[in-house]
Amino acid sequence: MYVEGGWKPAWEPPPREPRLTKRQERVFLWLIVVNVVLLFVAPIGGTTIIHAVLALLRQG
């Protein structure tokens, strides 16, 4: 009634991509954290620099 290993599907499933290693996960997480911090800090820092340049130009 049942045959051991006698039937295989007509198509082969695609091979799975390897998962990230612990080191790769840690680096990926740090990149995300740095980008989120820069998302909030960079506009403020950029505005400060622009204001400083404008202040120097107005006095001169």
Side-chain angles (χ1 to χ4, degrees):
M1 182 181 270
Y2 296 104
V3 178
E4 293 290 326
W7 179 83
K8 290 191 176 190
W11 59 277
E12 290 290 325
R16 293 186 68 174
E17 294 292 324
R19 292 189 54 98
L20 295 174
T21 64
K22 290 291 183 185
R23 184 171 191 268
Q24 289 172 332
E25 287 179 3
R26 201 168 45 242
V27 169
F28 192 62
L29 180 66
W30 273 108
L31 286 173
I32 292 173
V33 168
V34 167
N35 279 313
V36 168
V37 168
L38 288 177
L39 179 70
F40 292 108
V41 173
I44 295 169
T47 302
T48 304
I49 292 172
I50 291 172
H51 285 175
V53 169
L54 288 176
L56 287 173
L57 291 175
R58 286 184 189 150
Q59 288 183 1

